[in-house]
Amino acid sequence: MRMGIAEALRKAIHDEMERDKSVFCIGEDIGIPGGYGGAFTVTLGLEKDFRERIIDTPISEAGIFGAACGAAIMGMRPIADVQYGDFLFCAMDQVVDQIAKLRYMSGGKLKVPVVMRAPVGVTGRGAQHSQNLESYFMSCPGIKIVAPATAYDAAGLLKSAVRDDDPVLMFEHKLLYGSKGIRAESGSIDASSDIPEDDYTVPIGRGIIRREGQDITVIGSLLMMHFSLQASQMLEGVGISCEVIDPRTLWPLDLELILGSVKKTGRVVIVEESPKQGGVGAEIGMQIAENIPDYLLAPVTRVAAPNTPAPFSPTLEKLYVPQPERIADTIKRLIEEY
Amino acid sequence: MAYEGIITRIGKEKLTEMLRRMLEIRGFEEKIRFLFLEGEMPGTIHQYIGMEACAVGVCSVLEKGDVIASTHRPHGHAIARGLSMDAMMGELYGRATGCCMGKGGSMHMGDLSKGMLPAIAIVGGNIPVVTGMALAFKLRNERRVAVSFFGDGASNEGAFHEGLNMAAVTKAPAVFVCENNLYGASTSIKRALKIENIADRALSYGIRGDIADGMNVLDVYEHAKEAVDRARSAEGPTLLELKTFRLCGHSRRDPNNYMSDEEKEEWKNKDPLPYFENILKNNEIFTGEEIADIKQSVERSVEKAIEFGKGSPEPDPADIRKGLYVTMEVPE
Ligand SMILES: Cc1ncc(C[n+]2csc(CCOP(=O)(O)OP(=O)(O)O)c2C)c(N)n1
Ligand SMILES: [Mg+2]
């Protein structure tokens, strides 16, 4: 059945809760009758089938992630979420110092199978509701990070995350959810997929080639994957053939796929919605530069937001987020120069 | 006659200003709600309809040098603190004339030069900051007060606990105003709290807790005055709980389906505006016609602000990289 990301995640969570009684959801406004089903409708209506296991909390992010950590250590499989990724900072100690490190500190004797869900994206709300937090957590050993750009991947990765014995942080994009009704987002992009009725998973740690090409590799996740595809389509007309890679998992990176593609094309542009400083592109780019320097025909190149917080003004916001045109221009320039 | 004492104490001039500010908040919010639903206004909004008495009652007792801090729901606080509706409208439209030059938007409304920190949209986030502002006043022996506005929901954040306790032990001249509107987004306070009065939490910090009727601006004024006076006289912080209600959705197009019709009806009958207007009429401060005149004048100011906002120039593209560091440009 055709589903958007919000709907596909809802089905995946439902399936997992049905399959495994140790799975439960914990978060703010996730199962209030007459409410929203979380900030973007992902858990809408799940409380009807699983009242006990949809835990609506006070506004207490440190509490939510700390409780998820404790429950996981004791054998449960919590799915904890924040309404906006930005609020992960309120829970940072629990996520970074507890969830990510307890297993290591125990000498590998315990495990913390928590799933954490966080919406990201610069979407008309100003600096404190817009951050793309991937790079903060990519610098934190102990957590796996997934970032699905399609409904198929979202559901498949959610299931893998729940079944994984390590902590998994899933970033979801506000403009890709396909949330409906009062929670619909303006400027949304269709990320829906045909979701099989039967159980399936998408493996953590495996990227995917979204479009094959010869001249240059373009790497982007979430919204930037869609914008990279759009840029590639624009460039088709001028005879530039782009290979678009969607990493899907940001930690661990699918280096085999990424390096394989760059070996073939010799050029790479990494696109990210967050500031360039210390970003996702810095890590991916350095992996390429370190591992296959001899294959590079052009400098490893990044398209990113400026090194500032997100501005509110829609005019400035549009300049802040890499648009397909900006991505295409960068690619074109790179091909012309090298 | 009811309220005669306090009415005399406050005086007609201040009462006029209080009524006008409350009407401005209501007029402003109703207008932008419409613009937002029409799709003309960008972003998201959290509105203050029904809670006007809280911001106006508290801000009416403040002096020029005092500072307030607000939340994701800041329009009411901003108007009550005396920000111009023009600059606010400019901000809502994301224009260069906005009170934050278009960088902040609805959730970060504020202007420190007017005594209002740009609003902090992280629930509970402003509480320790207010403790720090108050501490600065204390360390410099200034008779200024810092006021934090936050919701019932915010009182469950760790920042609330740390901010209040620290204000208590440092005896910071702060007032913590909890606008208890019975909901944090869709979550009823009954699901999030096992006590009835948030003011009771003051006990655990060893500070003063107090409760006022947040639908009655005169009651808010009286209780706020005591709390602010105490803070100013170095008698320590107060946790002041205002019992109030949103007569609008939590955000955007929220239809409040998680509230019962009876509850909505019950609170609609306590609407702070007609309530205050009646007190003023009964005490012969204003006639009905005079109030109608004020309403008309407020409506014109709101219309003018919309024109100003809409007609204002867009920020310059180069503005993206301005205003981040004091001492350097944004590095590429
Ligand atoms: C740390 C944090 N968590 C969650 C949110 C999302 N959120 C925005 S407003 C809100 C409800 C706040 O309730 P309350 O403090 O009672 O204030 P009210 O909205 O009722 O004025 C929530 C959960 C947020 N902005 N910040
Ligand atoms: Mg509230």
Side-chain angles (χ1 to χ4, degrees), chain A residues 29 32-34 36 58-61 87 90 124-125 128-129 182-185 306-309 311-316 319, chain B residues 42-43 91 94 102-105 107-108 121-122 156-157 184-187 191 250 252-254 257-258 314 320 324 330-331:
Chain A
D29 299 289
I32 307 283
Y36 331 118
I59 309 173
S60 309
E61 289 77 14
F87 314 152
C90 297
R125 293 172 170 91
Q128 294 182 334
H129 285 68
I182 59 156
R183 304 304 301 176
E185 280 286 292
N307 292 330
T308 70
F312 164 70
S313 143
T315 313
L316 296 185
L319 295 167
Chain B
E91 193 59 34
K103 291 266 181 54
M107 288 196 279
H108 305 304
I122 303 298
N156 295 319
E157 284 282 7
S186 73
T187 303
R191 292 175 188 267
H250 166 63
R252 299 204 278 173
R253 295 170 286 269
D254 179 13
N257 288 339
Y258 44 84
E314 292 283 348
I320 287 193
L324 182 57
V330 170

